[in-house]
Amino acid sequence: MASTVQGVQNIIGYTFNDSDLVREAVSAAGSIVAAGTRRFPNGNKRLAILGDTVLQLALAEEWYDGIEPRATYDRIRQAVGSNNNLHSIGLASNLDAFVNLAAGGRTVSPITMAATVEAIIGAVYLDANNMDTVKAVMDTLGLTAASLG
């Protein structure tokens, strides 16, 4: 799994202190993965929920510093955080090559890819404990309002 950890780190431009967080982040729901004493019976579901919330917080902070109306924030949050966008970002970044699928899985579904991107954001948040680092990773992946064009 060392190549998985290194591969994900290379893509997102962040080196984890706790590599188990990467392993958890790329473990699709239903996959069976353990790292050390940690087990991930629900795959990356918990990290994906955290990552979704962190993603929204980062976007809200970016919006808060500007002068745009609330409707602009809602549009940005929906566009950047949509499963469709997260899926596209994951594929464009080649993160799908590192997803640990459930038994019998052959391809990474759009929902699984979206959850994996969210889980990676959640993992960075837990590992770095720093929103600026999370925002840098989001920027690397193209998960910002500016990436909407």
Side-chain angles (χ1 to χ4, degrees):
M1 264 286 211
S3 62
T4 295
V5 172
Q6 190 61 51
V8 170
Q9 290 179 149
N10 289 344
I11 290 169
I12 69 172
Y14 175 75
T15 301
F16 282 84
N17 296 305
D18 182 357
S19 60
D20 286 349
L21 287 168
V22 180
R23 291 180 185 92
E24 183 178 357
V26 299
S27 298
S31 63
I32 300 170
V33 175
T37 59
R38 293 179 59 191
R39 304 223 181 290
F40 318 120
N42 294 315
N44 62 14
K45 282 185 178 183
R46 295 173 74 83
L47 269 179
I49 290 169
L50 177 63
D52 178 62
T53 303
V54 171
L55 175 70
Q56 288 185 47
L57 175 60
L59 293 171
E61 284 183 353
E62 185 179 340
W63 166 80
Y64 180 79
D65 290 336
I67 59 168
E68 295 84 9
R70 164 74 190 262
T72 300
Y73 166 70
D74 289 338
R75 182 184 59 77
I76 291 167
R77 179 181 51 81
Q78 290 169 2
V80 173
S82 73
N83 283 341
N84 213 16
N85 186 54
L86 295 169
H87 170 247
S88 295
I89 294 285
L91 292 180
S93 302
N94 296 316
L95 286 168
D96 56 314
F98 301 102
V99 176
N100 179 26
L101 296 171
R106 295 174 191 243
T107 60
V108 180
S109 72
I111 294 296
T112 298
M113 188 73 264
T116 299
V117 173
E118 289 172 333
I120 289 169
I121 297 298
V124 170
Y125 173 77
L126 288 177
D127 193 69
N129 196 27
N130 180 311
M131 281 302 290
D132 288 336
T133 302
V134 171
K135 290 175 184 178
V137 168
M138 288 173 57
D139 189 50
T140 297
L141 292 173
L143 291 170
T144 63
S147 68
L148 295 176

